[in-house]
Amino acid sequence: MKSNITLFTVLGWEERFLLSTYHILENYNIDKAYLICFTDYVHMNNMDKNRKAINELLIEKNIDFNIIELEYGDSISNWKKLDVFFNNVETQEVIMNITTFPRETIWTFLFFLRLSSPNVTYVYYKPKSYDTGEGGLTKNHKSPRLLFKHSGVFDMDKKLALFIITGFDHNRTDLLIEHYEPAKVIYLSQKGEQFENMKRNCGICPKTAYENVEIENIAFDSYDINESYKAMVELIKSSSDYNIIITSQGPKTSAISTYLAYLENRNVALAYVPAREFSGEYSFGLDKEPVIGEIKY
């Protein structure tokens, strides 16, 4: 096993938060861990229990750990805190357990780690299943926002193309289109039957829902980081006549491929739609075959 590895993981209320972190600690020689806590979501069920359990495990394994407190609802404050943090710590070998990371936070960490860590390993664990209740996974969404320092370069003579990597929250998808009023929308939907994918994606990509908007539907595999990254790069090249905004609402792994594509095309912008409310039973169980990859800057 490698040594001198720093782990970043986000405290979550899902059981896969604990199970994924346990699995990483069993398979990697972690020297230091940072537990990221979003203070505006500590009220969720199981958060206190999960925090105590992970603290006890890290103490038991004699792993040095610290807590990074952020606010999900305040991206600018988070950016400032992380800027100070990464200017005062050394991180050579890093593992990001992105399983419960918000996508916006994944992108923010990749920005700072690019400046401080030559090797970043990402690990993502699927659940056994997602909440299929009528309430949905998230609701009460905020207005879309561009990622700080990743808002692209816009040509006033070009129309806007919006790339949406779709998830199961239709309202998030609609909100993006209503907010940015693009001339073209490319829906990138997860292919395959897992998690009732085809059924739950049905209706997310209507061809006639928006007047005067060109619609294109593409199915790709967000769990295959390399292939989805290549597909994204090709789509950006073929849409060079447009200003481009990309947003990831699908599997968390799509945030990785999106960011890698952004690094090759700094003129595009990254956008995110925050949610105010999350399902207390967002997911169940853990698939112990994670998606793992390494980013070398």
Side-chain angles (χ1 to χ4, degrees), residues 19-20 31 39 44 49 52 78 86 90 93 104 113 116 127 133 142 149 152 160 168 276 279 283 294:
L19 294 174
S20 65
D31 295 288
T39 57
M44 296 289 291
K49 182 185 75 173
K52 289 178 180 177
N78 294 342
F86 280 106
E90 291 186 8
E93 296 284 341
E104 185 178 46
L113 288 170
S116 63
K142 297 181 180 180
K149 289 186 179 291
L160 175 64
F168 296 147
R276 292 185 177 88
S279 169
S283 73
E294 189 174 48

Side-chain angles (χ1 to χ4, degrees), residues 140-146 175-176 179-180 272-276:
N140 195 9
H141 301 105
K142 297 181 180 180
S143 295
R145 62 195 185 204
L146 298 178
L175 190 59
L176 281 158
H179 184 82
Y180 289 116
Y272 183 65
V273 182
R276 292 185 177 88

Side-chain angles (χ1 to χ4, degrees), residues 31-87:
D31 295 288
K32 190 175 185 65
Y34 288 97
L35 181 62
I36 301 153
C37 301
F38 288 94
T39 57
D40 35 356
Y41 284 93
V42 294
H43 63 279
M44 296 289 291
N45 288 342
N46 297 321
M47 289 287 266
D48 191 51
K49 182 185 75 173
N50 285 355
R51 180 169 177 165
K52 289 178 180 177
I54 200 65
N55 284 0
E56 290 173 3
L57 179 66
L58 292 169
I59 291 170
E60 177 187 321
K61 289 184 171 291
N62 198 30
I63 296 173
D64 182 25
F65 73 96
N66 292 95
I67 293 171
I68 302 174
E69 290 192 344
L70 302 177
E71 292 181 55
Y72 179 80
D74 193 340
S75 57
I76 299 301
S77 173
N78 294 342
W79 193 280
K80 292 177 180 178
K81 288 179 182 177
L82 291 173
D83 187 21
V84 172
F85 170 81
F86 280 106
N87 276 317

Side-chain angles (χ1 to χ4, degrees), residues 105-203:
T105 313
I106 292 174
W107 291 337
T108 303
F109 266 75
L110 290 178
F111 171 85
F112 285 110
L113 288 170
R114 182 164 54 89
L115 304 177
S116 63
S117 303
N119 294 300
V120 177
T121 298
Y122 55 84
V123 185
Y124 173 76
Y125 293 82
K126 303 174 189 176
K128 290 291 186 183
S129 63
Y130 284 103
D131 183 5
T132 57
E134 293 183 1
L137 297 178
T138 66
K139 58 185 178 180
N140 195 9
H141 301 105
K142 297 181 180 180
S143 295
R145 62 195 185 204
L146 298 178
L147 181 68
F148 188 55
K149 289 186 179 291
H150 297 73
S151 55
V153 177
F154 283 71
D155 186 334
M156 296 299 292
D157 294 325
K158 293 182 179 180
K159 296 179 180 179
L160 175 64
L162 183 58
F163 295 5
I164 304 176
I165 303 173
T166 65
F168 296 147
D169 292 315
H170 299 212
N171 290 338
R172 267 181 164 171
T173 303
D174 293 339
L175 190 59
L176 281 158
I177 297 172
E178 292 164 6
H179 184 82
Y180 289 116
E181 299 182 340
K184 181 177 182 178
V185 174
I186 298 179
Y187 293 104
L188 297 140
S189 299
Q190 179 63 34
K191 59 185 178 183
E193 298 290 343
Q194 67 282 345
F195 308 121
E196 299 183 314
N197 183 60
M198 300 305 292
K199 175 183 175 182
R200 298 180 77 172
N201 260 327
C202 180

Side-chain angles (χ1 to χ4, degrees), residues 86-101:
F86 280 106
N87 276 317
N88 287 280
V89 298
E90 291 186 8
T91 53
Q92 291 299 312
E93 296 284 341
V94 167
I95 292 178
M96 286 178 63
N97 178 13
I98 67 170
T99 304
T100 50
F101 258 77

